[in-house]
Amino acid sequence: MKRTFDIVFALIGIAATHWIIGIAWLAATIDTRMNGFFTQTRAGRDGRPFRIIKIRTMRRLPGRVMTVTASDDPRITKLGRFFRKTKIDELPQLFNVLVGHMSFVGPRPDVPEYAASLTGGDRIILSVRPGLTGPATLKYRNEEALLAEQQDPQRYNDEVIYPEKVKLNRAYVENYSFSKDLKYIWQTVFG
């Protein structure tokens, strides 16, 4: 039922937003002077790598490479801030959902280094398709602003936010129900 829901609503979402994705891609291409689509390897179901697709929101800055992004990151363009705030940058992930790399609800897909750090029972997180939203995504809806308040955003992420996300994601997988998925989608859209 979950996969059928994903396919049907990904198709509906793509049909409804393809024009927004196209305009955002063009604007991001002009704004960043790079391909307006940003792709990155993430760990999917069973840890298999896949390429996540987003609208590019950042420019390259020499010497500035970080895994986490705070809201005051100088790499984020003005247009990129708008795309991030409105979640337009996430719309291309509907294609990831359609082809089966992702689901609407589940743990957010980590970069391979973070996924590889999961041990013991926490590895259950990798037994499901990663999602566009879920309990950890909702709790840390303002993660970038929270990270911007920290002296060392990377350390705060690694020592505070990431361990809490792992707990929330593990609980999601261990206590899965389709009705909870619908609730998470509702909270994401209207919350």
Side-chain angles (χ1 to χ4, degrees):
M1 188 160 81
K2 182 177 175 74
R3 183 67 189 131
T4 301
F5 178 92
D6 286 344
I7 292 168
V8 169
F9 282 93
L11 285 169
I12 292 170
I14 291 166
T17 65
H18 70 279
W19 63 276
I20 297 172
I21 294 169
I23 292 170
W25 168 81
L26 181 60
T29 299
I30 294 167
D31 186 43
T32 64
R33 293 187 173 86
M34 293 185 282
N35 184 342
F37 287 126
F38 168 78
T39 64
Q40 185 181 48
T41 300
R42 298 288 177 97
R45 188 177 192 178
D46 300 321
R48 286 190 298 267
F50 74 96
R51 302 292 290 177
I52 196 169
I53 309 165
K54 294 184 173 189
I55 296 294
R56 189 177 298 278
T57 60
M58 296 192 287
R59 67 176 78 81
R60 286 193 184 112
L61 287 180
R64 184 88 180 187
V65 179
M66 295 177 64
T67 310
V68 299
T69 306
S71 61
D72 61 352
D73 192 312
R75 297 174 298 170
I76 304 173
T77 67
K78 286 182 182 177
L79 184 59
R81 287 187 201 291
F82 170 75
F83 288 155
R84 284 171 173 261
K85 184 176 182 180
T86 59
K87 301 297 184 190
I88 288 172
D89 65 317
E90 307 279 347
L91 289 176
Q93 291 171 65
L94 290 169
F95 291 99
N96 288 121
V97 173
L98 183 62
V99 299
H101 295 145
M102 295 177 67
S103 179
F104 274 98
V105 182
R108 284 296 293 163
D110 284 322
V111 293
E113 297 79 21
Y114 277 96
S117 73
L118 295 171
T119 59
D122 292 342
R123 291 195 61 80
I124 195 172
I125 294 168
L126 298 174
S127 69
V128 299
R129 285 183 180 91
L132 298 176
T133 191
T137 304
L138 289 166
K139 178 169 184 176
Y140 289 102
R141 185 183 297 252
N142 297 315
E143 179 178 339
E144 289 183 357
L146 181 61
L147 289 169
E149 296 171 359
Q150 309 307 314
Q151 278 192 307
D152 187 343
Q154 184 72 53
R155 182 175 177 183
Y156 188 79
N157 177 75
D158 293 350
E159 294 179 0
V160 178
I161 295 176
Y162 188 70
E164 178 64 17
K165 284 182 175 181
V166 169
K167 286 180 194 170
L168 291 167
N169 289 329
R170 181 174 174 176
Y172 166 80
V173 176
E174 291 176 341
N175 303 294
Y176 174 76
S177 85
F178 187 70
S179 63
K180 286 182 185 174
D181 275 6
L182 296 177
K183 182 181 98 172
Y184 296 134
I185 292 169
W186 179 268
Q187 289 174 337
T188 300
V189 175
F190 301 107

